[in-house]
Amino acid sequence: MEVVGAGHPYVPADLELPDYVPVFLNQSTIVGVYLLTSMVIVSIVWIVSGLFPKISKLDRVLMCWWIFTGLTHMVLEGYFVFSPEFYKDKTRFYLAEVWKEYSKGDSRYAGRDSAVVSVEGITAVLEGPASLLTLYAIATKKSYRYALQLAISLGQLYGTLVYFLTAVLDGDNFATNMFYYYAYYVLANSFWIFIPTMISIHCWKKICYAVGAQEEKKKTKVR
Amino acid sequence: MEVVGAGHPYVPADLELPDYVPVFLNQSTIVGVYLLTSMVIVSIVWIVSGLFPKISKLDRVLMCWWIFTGLTHMVLEGYFVFSPEFYKDKTRFYLAEVWKEYSKGDSRYAGRDSAVVSVEGITAVLEGPASLLTLYAIATKKSYRYALQLAISLGQLYGTLVYFLTAVLDGDNFATNMFYYYAYYVLANSFWIFIPTMISIHCWKKICYAVGAQEEKKKTKVR
């Protein structure tokens, strides 16, 4: 239990968190439950989507990502957005524990930084449900599936960029120590840079190809 | 000159702006120069694009918007992002005057709020040049023109949303008075909600139509 002078383990130490209740669960339990639950849900999507021969392997991988990121946005980040006092939680409620633990990597969560809350709000309320919609759109090959995936991925990139930029501008001193800085703040968030970047490129190419092909057809008709 | 107790005309009065130099130009000059310059540039784009019969009227209107918003992002917002001490400017430099004046509607500009600087940074550095690229993409009917316009428009919407959400979360008390609140903070920004929304819908439809048409063609071929 890393409770220091301020009554909480977070940096900066002068961050005021009255009635802070220390995290009960240990790190491996908190991270383990998240990863295990995610793996189970992703496996179900992988197996069920495999029953439909018309869904390509790539699309099945994308569906696994979208269920994972969508539920992360809605459940984990959704809880954070609407629970300003999670750090006072005494009930050992798992989602409160998650954010008490994550705040060691970025105390702006416990401190309710307005940029963090805004970005998380957009992510949880708009991008979360939209991510789940992509599963339906991909499975049924809706014509809007590329535009939708591009829109959400660019939104995730924009949000992550604001998240990092505001941290740097505000002094980049919100992690309890270097381990939490790299494990939570850098590593965990890096997935929401690399994967949305790859999906954006994929969808961008698909869109350009379709637009180009359709206009080529039109031209041929005119001739 | 609305210099009050704090030595500056901004709200909250306890905002510290050492060496603040009051705005020299009056409001109608500042706003007038912006609108007049914009009108001249937009007119040039309208006239020149009209010389190419293959560019539709709608595309010409879009080009006018993109030159206007692109130069606003790069010149006005670009200056703000890289000039943290604009409020100390004594040279009557026009761009410093713009932000001294605008800060009456939102003092977070003078106060260098990190969320505002982050959003403006992304807008000026990424969306500004991308906006100018759309002119070339529309004029030459590049297959990426819809994806590009959708990407920038959604970015503008995301930025404006973060801009308003952070203001609300931080108490929504950054305007010198109700006039500046509605004229600068609400009205001026509302254009970057309505127009990007309309362009997003337009491009979304175009993309879905192209993807749908291309897949319909594929299906027909398979049959």
Side-chain angles (χ1 to χ4, degrees):
Chain A
M1 218 137 284
E2 295 147 75
V3 178
V4 291
H8 63 67
Y10 309 124
V11 166
D14 63 0
L15 176 67
E16 277 181 40
L17 297 175
D19 307 322
Y20 166 76
V21 175
V23 61
F24 293 102
L25 302 172
N26 61 41
Q27 188 198 29
S28 47
T29 308
I30 293 171
V31 177
V33 167
Y34 175 50
L35 293 183
L36 214 74
T37 317
S38 300
M39 269 173 63
V40 170
I41 293 169
V42 162
S43 302
I44 293 171
V45 168
W46 177 255
I47 291 163
V48 172
S49 64
L51 302 174
F52 300 84
K54 281 196 175 172
I55 307 177
S56 72
K57 271 219 172 115
L58 174 61
D59 273 346
R60 288 171 64 200
V61 173
L62 288 171
M63 288 169 80
C64 289
W65 163 252
W66 288 117
I67 191 79
F68 166 70
T69 195
L71 289 180
T72 300
H73 292 339
M74 289 178 73
V75 180
L76 260 74
E77 293 164 271
Y79 168 79
F80 164 74
V81 170
F82 297 105
S83 307
E85 303 201 324
F86 70 84
Y87 63 84
K88 299 181 184 175
D89 184 87
K90 290 173 189 159
T91 64
R92 306 189 181 204
F93 181 53
Y94 175 71
L95 294 175
E97 296 288 291
V98 166
W99 293 111
K100 286 183 189 176
E101 180 66 23
Y102 183 81
S103 294
K104 294 178 188 167
D106 186 351
S107 69
R108 298 181 300 166
Y109 277 78
R112 209 93 197 136
D113 176 86
S114 63
V116 167
V117 175
S118 298
V119 167
E120 289 291 11
I122 295 169
T123 306
V125 174
L126 297 178
E127 291 169 9
S131 298
L132 299 192
L133 179 60
T134 63
L135 272 102
Y136 167 75
I138 292 172
T140 55
K141 296 203 185 294
K142 293 285 174 204
S143 62
Y144 63 80
R145 67 189 186 280
Y146 298 122
L148 181 62
Q149 291 181 80
L150 178 68
I152 307 169
S153 298
L154 291 176
Q156 290 172 322
L157 287 172
Y158 198 115
T160 314
L161 205 51
V162 170
Y163 177 68
F164 283 125
L165 282 175
T166 47
V168 170
L169 289 169
D170 286 334
D172 199 17
N173 183 35
F174 304 106
T176 297
N177 61 42
M178 277 296 115
F179 169 74
Y180 293 118
Y181 182 84
Y182 285 108
Y184 296 171
Y185 176 71
V186 176
L187 180 68
N189 286 293
S190 68
F191 292 99
W192 278 270
I193 297 178
F194 293 122
I195 297 172
T197 300
M198 288 193 299
I199 296 178
S200 296
I201 294 170
H202 167 70
C203 293
W204 184 278
K205 282 182 179 171
K206 287 283 186 183
I207 290 169
C208 294
Y209 179 73
V211 171
Q214 191 225 340
E215 290 183 340
E216 201 50 51
K217 205 178 77 182
K218 252 200 237 163
K219 265 191 218 163
T220 323
K221 269 188 187 169
V222 171
R223 277 175 204 152
Chain B
M1 217 138 285
E2 295 148 76
V3 178
V4 291
H8 62 68
Y10 308 124
V11 167
D14 62 0
L15 176 67
E16 278 182 39
L17 296 175
D19 307 323
Y20 167 77
V21 175
V23 60
F24 294 102
L25 302 171
N26 61 41
Q27 187 197 29
S28 47
T29 308
I30 294 171
V31 177
V33 167
Y34 175 50
L35 294 182
L36 214 74
T37 316
S38 300
M39 268 173 63
V40 169
I41 294 169
V42 162
S43 302
I44 293 171
V45 169
W46 177 255
I47 291 163
V48 172
S49 63
L51 302 175
F52 300 85
K54 281 196 176 172
I55 306 177
S56 71
K57 270 217 173 119
L58 175 61
D59 274 345
R60 288 171 65 201
V61 173
L62 287 171
M63 289 169 81
C64 289
W65 163 251
W66 288 117
I67 191 80
F68 166 71
T69 194
L71 290 180
T72 300
H73 292 340
M74 288 177 75
V75 180
L76 260 75
E77 293 165 271
Y79 168 80
F80 164 74
V81 170
F82 297 105
S83 308
E85 303 201 324
F86 71 85
Y87 63 84
K88 299 180 183 175
D89 184 86
K90 291 173 190 159
T91 64
R92 305 189 182 207
F93 181 53
Y94 175 71
L95 294 175
E97 296 288 290
V98 166
W99 293 111
K100 285 182 189 176
E101 180 66 23
Y102 183 81
S103 293
K104 293 178 188 167
D106 186 353
S107 69
R108 298 181 300 165
Y109 277 78
R112 209 95 197 133
D113 175 85
S114 62
V116 167
V117 175
S118 299
V119 167
E120 288 291 13
I122 295 169
T123 306
V125 174
L126 298 178
E127 291 169 9
S131 298
L132 298 192
L133 179 61
T134 62
L135 272 102
Y136 167 75
I138 292 172
T140 55
K141 295 201 184 297
K142 293 285 175 204
S143 63
Y144 63 79
R145 67 190 186 280
Y146 298 122
L148 182 62
Q149 290 180 81
L150 178 67
I152 307 169
S153 298
L154 291 177
Q156 290 172 322
L157 287 172
Y158 198 116
T160 315
L161 205 50
V162 170
Y163 177 68
F164 284 124
L165 282 175
T166 47
V168 170
L169 289 170
D170 286 334
D172 200 18
N173 183 34
F174 305 107
T176 298
N177 61 42
M178 278 295 114
F179 169 74
Y180 293 117
Y181 182 84
Y182 285 107
Y184 295 171
Y185 175 71
V186 176
L187 180 68
N189 286 293
S190 68
F191 291 98
W192 278 271
I193 296 177
F194 293 121
I195 298 174
T197 300
M198 287 192 299
I199 296 179
S200 296
I201 294 169
H202 168 69
C203 293
W204 184 278
K205 281 182 180 170
K206 287 281 185 185
I207 289 169
C208 294
Y209 178 74
V211 171
Q214 191 224 341
E215 289 182 342
E216 200 51 50
K217 203 178 78 181
K218 251 201 239 164
K219 263 191 219 162
T220 323
K221 268 189 187 168
V222 171
R223 277 174 203 155

